[in-house]
Amino acid sequence: MALRRKLIAGNWKLHKTVEESLELAGQLSAGLKRDDLDVLVCPTFPALFPVAQRLKGTAVKVGAQNLFWEDQGAFTGEVSGPMIKAAGAIYALVGHSERRLHFAESEKTAALRVAAAWRSGLTPILCVGELLQERETGRMEGVLESQLAGALAGVSTAQAGGLVIAYEPVWAIGTGKTASDAQANEAHAYIRGWLSYRFDKHVAESLKILYGGSVKPANAAGLLNQSEVDGVLVGGASLDASSFLGIIHAI
Ligand code: PEP
């Protein structure tokens, strides 16, 4: 089995001013006691550049929470891949369920954003996940398949190995309900199997699949110890240095 380095990513969502973001970034880099895994934070757009500057030369990397699919032009209010890259980020979240829910994002726009991320030299973290009702009616695999197939439609096998996928069951995001270790592992195994079929075995084995949904210091070790779980994407618990560091140091 391929050895996949774990990635612990924090999604700060619509939280923290620039000053507060810098404070948290400083606390994280000062408190990080290990270099055997990757650590990433995704601040708001105004904080992206200052946080990247503050974290330069540390082990904590920076990502954006979204990106637009055009590089420049008359698109008021949008931020593009080249701008994000120039600000010091190396990752971009794509298709987060909150974007799908509140901003009508679809598989089609996720595919455009994935392509824009690659073009700009950013690693896309593609978020997929089912609603509670979809899980309860036995449609989890079908939902994951259509989200993956749609968003990765234009991705070549050569590109696919560098992707990151985040499995985030929507019913577990910000709700305090976490998928059990076994539920997470099972969904990740389904995603990896699908990737092997769509691309190849080597891609599927090398690509990281993160779990996201109410991850906290208390449940992180169980999830991170699953064979198919290559890291976590953390929302609420990434807003406080001691809880995010607790997750990072959980295993
Ligand atoms: C997220 O924002 O991707 C997330 C998983 O949030 P939370 O950890 O708060 O459930």
Side-chain angles (χ1 to χ4, degrees), residues 20 22-32 239-242 245:
E20 290 163 349
L22 286 171
E23 190 185 349
L24 178 54
Q27 291 166 341
L28 291 175
S29 61
L32 185 60
L239 295 172
D240 170 74
S242 68
L245 288 166

Side-chain angles (χ1 to χ4, degrees), residues 11 13 96 98 168 172-175 212-215 233-237:
N11 172 16
K13 309 194 190 197
H96 190 281
E98 288 154 15
E168 299 208 300
I173 299 181
T175 59
S214 298
V215 177
L233 177 54
V234 186

